Amino acid sequence: MPRTFEGHLTDPGGRFAIVGARFNHFIVERLVEGAVDALRRHGVDVEERVDIVWVPGAWEVPVVCQRLASSGRYAAIITCATVIRGSTAHFDFVAGEVAKGTGAVSTQTGVPIAFGVLTTDTIEQAIERAGTKAGNKGFEAGCVAIEMVSLLARLEV
Ligand code: INI
């Protein structure tokens, strides 16, 4: 049987940061609520161990992730933002930058960053993924943060 490493979905300890982008706030606030709910349901004392940082838009998420991740204060970061193709000609730039930027910060710092960013064609698709019929991407990202902190603590390499 090969040795197998896996994260558990139980509170791994440590502090968590959630970075929320205010653009499309009425959707993003649902994602942030979902992320907080995921952490709480997995046993994290969210009053004591979770910080929420708001930035203007998805474009600004990576630079704040960089500051938070390099501080050494957080076991994981959860990003929450919504980029809607129909509402901007900037879509590809903004969606590309938040994905590329947060991915780079995560690999450079070793701090897991869960990608709770919606990139959709329409506002309806975004609403569906923010706590209605297609679940809540922020909740999913909160679970991923828990699992990744647990996995990295167990990984013996
Ligand atoms: N920011 C978003 O988070 N979502 C969007 O859909 C969006 N659109 O449509 O442009 C968006 N733009 C703002 C951008 O993130 C920056 O805040 C802005 O360009 C200032 O740097």
Side-chain angles (χ1 to χ4, degrees):
M1 188 66 178
R3 286 207 310 160
T4 305
F5 299 95
E6 228 176 2
H8 291 193
L9 284 174
T10 49
D11 178 11
R15 301 181 60 81
F16 294 81
I18 300 171
V19 180
R22 274 198 313 274
F23 205 102
N24 294 314
H25 184 258
F26 83 104
I27 296 171
V28 178
E29 67 183 352
R30 297 280 96 79
L31 300 177
V32 170
E33 282 171 10
V36 171
D37 192 36
L39 296 174
R40 182 188 295 113
R41 285 182 186 220
H42 288 90
V44 176
D45 179 348
V46 297
E47 316 292 331
E48 294 293 328
R49 290 169 43 206
V50 179
D51 294 329
I52 300 175
V53 183
W54 287 99
V55 297
W59 181 269
E60 285 75 30
V61 167
V63 69
V64 170
C65 286
Q66 167 68 43
R67 173 79 80 95
L68 297 173
S70 56
S71 73
R73 246 174 96 72
Y74 298 99
I77 299 170
I78 301 155
T79 59
C80 294
T82 299
V83 193
I84 301 172
R85 186 181 292 278
S87 55
T88 177
H90 289 123
F91 178 90
D92 290 319
F93 296 116
V94 175
E97 177 59 19
V98 64
K100 181 168 59 63
T102 55
V105 170
S106 187
T107 50
Q108 283 161 13
T109 60
V111 175
I113 301 181
F115 195 66
V117 177
L118 298 176
T119 54
T120 62
D121 288 330
T122 66
I123 201 162
E124 289 77 15
Q125 289 169 348
I127 291 168
E128 283 170 13
R129 290 160 179 75
T132 60
K133 71 180 183 188
N136 185 315
K137 186 83 174 166
F139 186 92
E140 287 172 28
C143 295
V144 166
I146 295 271
E147 181 172 341
M148 284 302 295
V149 174
S150 167
L151 171 63
L152 292 176
R154 287 161 189 276
L155 209 49
E156 294 169 13
V157 288

